Amino acid sequence: MTLPATPGTPGRLVLRGDLLDFTADPGFAAPHEAPGVRWRTDHRVLIDAGRIVAVQPADQALPTGWGDAPEQDHRGRLLMPGFIDTHVHCPQLDVIASFGTELLDWLNTYTFPAERRYADPEVSRIGAERFLNALWAHGTTSAVVFPTVHKVSADALFERADAHDMRLITGKVLMDRHAPEGLLDDVEQAERDCLDLIARWHGNGRQAYAVTVRFAPTSTPEQLVMAGALCRSQPGIYMQTHVAENRSEVQWVSELFPDARSYLDVYDRDGLIGPRSVLAHGIWLDDRDHAVLRERGAQIAHCPSSNLFLGSGLFDWARAQREGLHVSLASDVGGGTSLSMLRNMADAYKIQAMQGTRLSAWKALHAATLGSAEALGLAHEIGQIEPGHMADFAIWNWSHGDVAHHRDSLARGSHGSLHERVFAWMTLGDERNLAATLVAGQTVFQSASVM
């Protein structure tokens, strides 16, 4: 169950369990050869004021003054850094699992009507609460989020996240053409709204602003120029958008911007591509586009479940790895069908398998933790179980249901390996495996089975 919204100043807390995180990118190496996997059985994590202050074996005496700290005993469970979802849409919980269209029709039929309702401040407030509760109930503790074009929708997300000291990156959507009335802004008002939100929220606690271009077709050239100027003039802000999700979208962009070399070039020429740029999908990019992304340090947010559900295409992750691109993992709800990063990892495995590549559990889990944190420039704060980092945790049961219990028992056997067990958990698991979620040392979700 998601716990009531009772944020406060966290005190000392001790977590005990089996710790899994990463110190380096495992790449596409064979599981038994993969670097950077850190497995620490039966350890304690000491938390004070929302941060990790120490990690130690459970048989080691606690430091002086910690004897009275409350302890959550999760022996036999898997303790991991909370997942980082690098591309997800708050209002699209309203249209998740909608039937039967490709991207452009799906936007017009389902998404845009849902997003128009977020002009109402109360709809935005309730929607933000529902959305963040849902993230926590799936083990996600940080996210890069699309609200709607309405300033109030971004405000509502920031307010809810800030109340729980959650790392959130978001910003009002920019959209001044090719969308229905009620979802259109203009260049001048959009710039004022962005600057107001940046002044209020960017760098306030764990909140960060993202210049949020819906996608190239819904912004005029003038709005894209304004967005690029914002990126250059506001230190430390992010940029998020979509790029090359499916072929009909790519064709439409080429018709709208005939002087651009490619879809990516539409953004790059206006200064929107840099080390804090998060580009969702990136399936239909060419070699030059990949070189630009590598040179700029931008990342692709791979959205496997969404790509399969909408029939967008198969992202070649192994190629991106060879070419030195940053790739993070994302749910893209509501194009994606689940906020569960485990389900998205299972779909990512299938996508790579269809292209002759085997995705290890290590690579998938790294991409949703330390890999995403590094790509966002936040590895000092999130993505690892390390002193000084924020105490953002997801605590997992290894199995749920008879079939998974049986499979896990065999993987634990004398001939099993840690990767075999973790891969079975990743493939068979979902939000039902989640025991608890902590954000900044505070429990924001707890399964009824551990209460």
Side-chain angles (χ1 to χ4, degrees):
M1 62 179 293
T2 300
L3 300 177
T6 54
T9 302
R12 287 184 169 182
L13 175 68
V14 178
L15 299 180
R16 182 174 181 177
D18 298 331
L19 313 185
L20 175 63
D21 67 350
F22 298 89
T23 60
D25 185 350
F28 283 85
H32 65 283
E33 298 174 349
V37 180
R38 182 161 59 176
W39 172 241
R40 292 171 283 184
T41 58
D42 198 15
H43 271 58
R44 284 190 170 98
V45 183
L46 281 60
I47 299 165
D48 192 7
R51 288 189 181 271
I52 300 167
V53 297
V55 181
Q56 63 180 60
D59 59 6
Q60 180 178 318
L62 289 169
T64 302
W66 281 82
D68 294 331
E71 178 170 299
Q72 293 185 14
D73 190 343
H74 294 288
R75 273 177 283 185
R77 293 193 175 107
L78 181 64
L79 273 65
M80 289 196 65
F83 289 138
I84 305 163
D85 190 339
T86 57
H87 179 70
V88 60
H89 295 256
C90 168
Q92 290 187 21
L93 285 182
D94 295 1
V95 297
I96 190 172
S98 293
F99 173 76
T101 58
E102 284 193 356
L103 171 66
L104 300 181
D105 287 338
W106 188 83
L107 289 172
N108 288 312
T109 304
Y110 300 116
T111 301
F112 289 158
E115 292 189 1
R116 289 177 69 176
R117 295 194 289 272
Y118 279 69
D120 182 335
E122 185 66 4
V123 171
S124 284
R125 184 191 66 78
I126 293 171
E129 181 174 352
R130 179 190 305 113
F131 173 73
L132 294 187
N133 286 346
L135 287 183
W136 300 333
H138 289 77
T140 295
T141 55
S142 300
V144 184
V145 182
F146 268 63
T148 68
V149 72
H150 312 103
K151 181 182 178 184
V152 68
S153 71
D155 256 327
L157 278 167
F158 278 131
E159 287 172 358
R160 175 72 174 170
D162 185 57
H164 290 271
D165 205 12
M166 177 190 183
R167 168 56 72 178
L168 191 79
I169 300 170
T170 192
K172 79 156 237 91
V173 174
L174 301 176
M175 208 157 50
D176 67 345
R177 65 172 176 174
H178 297 142
E181 288 298 322
L183 285 180
L184 293 172
D185 56 16
D186 59 64
V187 176
E188 292 77 16
Q189 185 60 52
E191 183 177 28
R192 286 193 294 271
D193 287 348
C194 288
L195 289 171
D196 285 349
L197 288 164
I198 291 167
R200 182 177 180 189
W201 291 113
H202 185 65
N204 181 354
R206 300 182 72 191
Q207 309 310 300
Y209 195 81
V211 172
T212 303
V213 176
R214 181 47 169 271
F215 68 153
T218 51
S219 285
T220 59
E222 293 77 16
Q223 189 172 69
L224 292 174
V225 168
M226 180 273 289
L230 277 177
C231 290
R232 291 189 297 273
S233 66
Q234 302 295 317
I237 65 171
Y238 291 84
M239 193 287 294
Q240 61 173 336
T241 191
H242 302 80
V243 68
E245 183 173 353
N246 76 6
R247 282 175 287 194
S248 60
E249 170 207 14
V250 173
Q251 178 59 36
W252 190 22
V253 170
S254 71
E255 294 165 1
L256 291 172
F257 299 92
D259 53 338
R261 189 199 66 79
S262 69
Y263 191 159
L264 184 71
D265 187 52
V266 173
Y267 302 132
D268 188 44
R269 63 187 186 175
D270 287 327
L272 288 161
I273 307 300
R276 290 177 175 264
S277 299
V278 183
L279 298 115
H281 307 293
I283 300 170
W284 304 101
L285 298 174
D286 62 23
D287 291 344
R288 178 58 190 149
D289 292 330
H290 278 202
V292 169
L293 292 176
R294 182 177 62 251
E295 291 162 8
R296 304 284 189 273
Q299 67 174 290
I300 293 175
H302 175 34
C303 308
S305 296
S306 173
N307 296 161
L308 291 175
F309 186 70
L310 296 178
S312 301
L314 304 178
F315 176 68
D316 191 342
W317 195 347
R319 175 194 171 202
Q321 177 87 13
R322 290 193 303 271
E323 297 183 4
L325 273 62
H326 298 299
V327 178
S328 56
L329 204 61
S331 70
D332 192 28
V333 163
T337 53
S338 176
L339 289 168
S340 169
M341 297 302 280
L342 292 181
R343 294 190 189 191
N344 278 277
M345 291 174 203
D347 281 343
Y349 177 86
K350 298 165 195 173
I351 287 173
Q352 298 315 303
M354 291 177 71
Q355 300 173 91
T357 298
R358 299 296 165 178
L359 177 69
S360 73
W362 306 142
K363 178 62 176 174
L365 289 165
H366 173 269
T369 55
L370 179 60
S372 290
E374 289 176 335
L376 293 169
L378 296 171
H380 62 287
E381 176 194 323
I382 56 176
Q384 283 184 305
I385 305 173
E386 190 73 22
H389 282 55
M390 295 300 294
D392 295 347
F393 282 94
I395 302 167
W396 300 92
N397 293 309
W398 281 100
S399 55
H400 177 86
D402 290 344
V403 171
H405 289 328
H406 175 66
R407 180 68 183 91
D408 182 61
S409 70
L410 295 177
R412 292 200 316 269
S414 58
H415 298 294
S417 67
L418 178 61
H419 183 267
E420 181 179 353
R421 190 181 189 196
V422 172
F423 185 81
W425 164 74
M426 182 190 86
T427 307
L428 299 176
D430 55 30
E431 63 274 16
R432 292 171 295 180
N433 293 64
L434 186 64
T437 304
L438 285 80
V439 171
Q442 297 277 68
T443 301
V444 292
F445 170 84
Q446 186 164 291
S447 169
S449 65
V450 297
M451 294 187 69

